[in-house]
Amino acid sequence: MINVTKTFFPPIEEYVSQLKRIWANEWLTNRGELVLELEENLKDYLKVSNIILMTNGTIPLQIALKILGNQGEIITTPFSYVATTSAIIWENCKPVFVDIHPEYLTIDETKIEAAITDKTTCILATHVFGNPCNIEEIDRIAKKHNLKVIYDAAHSFAVRYKGKSVFEYGDVSTCSFHATKLFQTGEGGAVFCENESLRHKMFYSHNFGHNGPLEFHGLGINGKVSELHGAMGLAVLPHLDKILESRKNVVELYDLKLNFDKLNKLKIREGTYWNYSYYPVIFQNEEKLLLVQKKLNSHKIFPRRYFYPSLNNVPFLPKVTMPISDDIASRILCLPLSHDLVKKDIEMICQFINS
Ligand SMILES: *Cc1c(COP(=O)(O)O)cnc(C)c1O
């Protein structure tokens, strides 16, 4: 069976040797030695100045929206994983969708200003498939209208844009370390925030608001990550360069073997050092997508319809039309991509699609 992705498991001895440190410390959570070490290693690896590890990639979105969203209107993309939209609603804010660019698949920055009202507080956009949004333009619009920018960078581990980590753009940037993501800690995630006072708010918010055992800075929730997750991260991170290299090879082989006469691929934004996190292909229509999906499934190959449906159609929201996102969502398919997908399987997948 070949799935859309495959979790990277580090050699078990490497994981066990990290676990032994936890047993020796007899310390399981509340920002223990392993979590602090993983934060330092990630800062080095990603070349970022700050990071706060959290339970997953959703809670930092919620915390950021709790602090910056102010129960207002949030301008957001309809083409993302459902967590981007549901975090907005969960925090009693209102998602206001702006359609996407047909090739970059990120929010169409030229349509943002028309969606701004006096209730707008934030722009929450996704660097979808690790492809950065038009960061400069979003930044300009946000400054002009006094809005905050939150990037859902769940797909963007190791992505660099114009010479620095993509996590260093926007007021807040979040990542997910879920088992299906490029870098995994089982469940896990992180938040990046350059502004010190905002980062401090996010920090105490993820630990019940604590300021020492008896005092509170403010309201908080529990977004802390355990040492068990830290151990997985410490065991996985040393393999990241190798993982990226093998994924790059898979992507290059797809690029070479697929016939793009009747198929489109993702356009990566200029200035991006990409992370080979997903391999989406866009068919001419949904019928062709379904035909290919059926054919691949019959050979136990399971691509995924990332992202379908377009989030403006989720059942817990009043429907609006987003012509480009609706159209793309109906005919985009993410092909299997992992560190150990072999050449013969890639060639077989390409052959099924081409024919
Ligand atoms: C995976 C994902 C999330 C949620 O991350 P979790 O760690 O699963 O909570 C949020 N946004 C996007 C775009 C994602 O792909």
Side-chain angles (χ1 to χ4, degrees):
M1 187 167 81
I2 302 174
N3 277 319
V4 67
T5 190
K6 188 171 169 186
T7 302
F8 173 82
F9 281 81
I12 194 163
E13 319 79 64
E14 294 175 24
Y15 182 52
V16 168
S17 78
Q18 296 295 343
L19 290 181
K20 283 184 177 158
R21 298 173 60 196
I22 304 176
W23 263 251
N25 290 341
E26 297 191 325
W27 187 276
L28 209 42
T29 187
N30 288 355
R31 297 181 56 76
E33 180 183 302
L34 278 75
V35 163
L36 296 181
E37 187 174 308
L38 180 58
E39 283 185 346
E40 288 309 309
N41 294 358
L42 284 169
K43 277 201 263 177
D44 284 350
Y45 187 80
L46 299 167
K47 301 192 184 72
V48 292
S49 63
N50 68 85
I51 182 173
I52 307 169
L53 294 186
M54 292 196 193
T55 355
N56 56 50
T58 304
I59 207 85
L61 285 176
Q62 286 180 216
I63 293 175
L65 287 163
K66 174 79 80 192
I67 296 169
L68 300 174
N70 242 339
Q71 305 194 7
E73 293 180 0
I74 313 294
I75 290 182
T76 192
T77 175
F79 192 70
S80 182
Y81 182 60
V82 70
T84 316
T85 298
S86 51
I88 295 172
I89 304 167
W90 201 265
E91 292 305 330
N92 291 314
C93 298
K94 183 182 169 211
V96 175
F97 293 109
V98 164
D99 213 345
I100 57 168
H101 187 279
E103 292 175 294
Y104 294 119
L105 309 185
T106 47
I107 194 167
D108 185 344
E109 62 283 352
T110 65
K111 295 179 180 156
I112 289 178
E113 281 196 281
I116 296 174
T117 73
D118 56 6
K119 296 199 188 77
T120 311
T121 53
C122 295
I123 299 168
L124 167 53
T126 301
H127 302 310
V128 73
F129 305 132
N131 195 25
C133 299
N134 188 336
I135 287 171
E136 293 81 5
E137 189 53 21
I138 291 175
D139 190 47
R140 188 191 67 77
I141 296 166
K143 285 211 171 83
K144 179 172 158 196
H145 296 273
N146 202 16
L147 306 176
K148 298 294 181 189
V149 180
I150 304 168
Y151 284 118
D152 182 339
H155 305 163
S156 303
F157 192 87
V159 170
R160 300 186 69 75
Y161 180 65
K162 301 209 167 150
K164 63 176 187 177
S165 166
V166 79
F167 295 144
E168 293 199 319
Y169 295 94
D171 293 286
V172 170
S173 191
T174 65
C175 194
S176 165
F177 305 151
H178 183 257
T180 57
K181 302 298 204 295
L182 187 64
F183 169 71
Q184 65 93 5
T185 59
E187 293 274 359
V191 69
F192 305 83
C193 171
E194 301 293 303
N195 178 284
E196 202 179 323
S197 86
L198 178 56
R199 186 166 72 245
H200 180 238
K201 267 191 194 157
M202 297 215 46
F203 184 84
Y204 71 69
S205 298
H206 102 298
N207 183 21
F208 303 104
H210 271 297
N211 180 24
L214 303 176
E215 259 184 78
F216 295 93
H217 282 294
L219 179 69
I221 192 159
N222 183 2
K224 285 177 283 108
V225 66
S226 85
E227 291 288 90
L228 297 166
H229 299 89
M232 181 61 94
L234 288 172
V236 171
L237 190 59
H239 297 276
L240 237 289
D241 283 343
K242 206 179 56 195
I243 294 170
L244 283 167
E245 185 62 32
S246 357
R247 297 178 74 106
K248 178 169 188 264
N249 292 336
V250 176
V251 164
E252 285 174 355
L253 197 56
Y254 274 134
D255 284 348
L256 189 72
K257 296 282 171 180
L258 282 171
N259 176 358
F260 290 100
D261 288 348
K262 294 178 178 169
L263 204 61
N264 282 324
K265 60 177 179 177
L266 177 66
K267 184 173 177 190
I268 303 292
R269 197 174 298 279
E270 307 68 25
T272 304
Y273 176 85
W274 190 47
N275 64 356
Y276 312 98
S277 48
Y278 296 84
Y279 199 93
V281 287
I282 304 168
F283 292 88
Q284 284 176 318
N285 53 51
E286 188 171 19
E287 290 69 43
K288 288 196 173 149
L289 176 149
L290 293 172
L291 205 65
V292 167
Q293 190 183 29
K294 201 168 152 210
K295 178 82 181 168
L296 292 172
N297 288 174
S298 74
H299 288 82
K300 298 205 166 20
I301 301 165
F302 299 98
R304 277 286 294 266
R305 294 187 74 178
Y306 289 148
F307 288 99
Y308 181 88
S310 180
L311 296 170
N312 48 300
N313 298 313
V314 290
F316 44 86
L317 278 178
K319 269 198 195 340
V320 287
T321 325
M322 289 282 128
I324 298 172
S325 186
D326 287 336
D327 174 46
I328 296 285
S330 75
R331 55 196 178 92
I332 192 165
L333 191 66
C334 278
L335 302 185
L337 173 52
S338 72
H339 56 281
D340 71 350
L341 195 58
V342 298
K343 188 165 179 213
K344 111 179 144 24
D345 289 335
I346 301 166
E347 285 173 344
M348 177 175 66
I349 292 167
C350 292
Q351 207 183 335
F352 287 143
I353 295 172
N354 290 341
S355 66

